[in-house]
């Protein structure tokens, strides 16, 4: 239902991220929000924080 590609080798060392999503997976406002988040240059908090992924053995 979705595919993503990381395209490297562009001019000036640039790269691109191509996403193809079927309309039944994401629609309307959610789609606009996702595209806005992916294309924003503003730093964001990770979706999964480091504290959630690092667990110590007891």
């Amino acid at each position: 239902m979705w595919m993503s590609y990381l395209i490297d080798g562009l001019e000036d060392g640039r790269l691109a991220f191509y996403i193809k999503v079927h309309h039944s997976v994401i629609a309307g406002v959610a789609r606009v929000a996702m595209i806005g988040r992916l294309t924003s240059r503003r730093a964001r908090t990770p979706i999964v924080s480091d504290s959630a992924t690092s667990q110590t053995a007891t």
Side-chain angles (χ1 to χ4, degrees):
M1 295 294 249
W2 64 276
M3 296 182 286
S4 64
Y5 301 91
L6 182 61
I7 304 164
D8 63 350
L10 301 176
E11 291 183 26
D12 299 324
R14 300 177 116 195
L15 55 89
F17 188 59
Y18 173 76
I19 303 170
K20 183 177 179 180
V21 181
H22 191 273
H23 68 89
S24 67
V25 174
I26 188 167
V29 176
R31 180 182 333 150
V32 173
M34 181 187 77
I35 292 169
R37 187 175 174 103
L38 289 171
T39 58
S40 174
R41 292 180 180 240
R42 197 170 49 161
R44 303 246 181 185
T45 304
I47 294 171
V48 177
S49 68
D50 290 337
S51 61
T53 58
S54 61
Q55 298 179 7
T56 57
T58 56

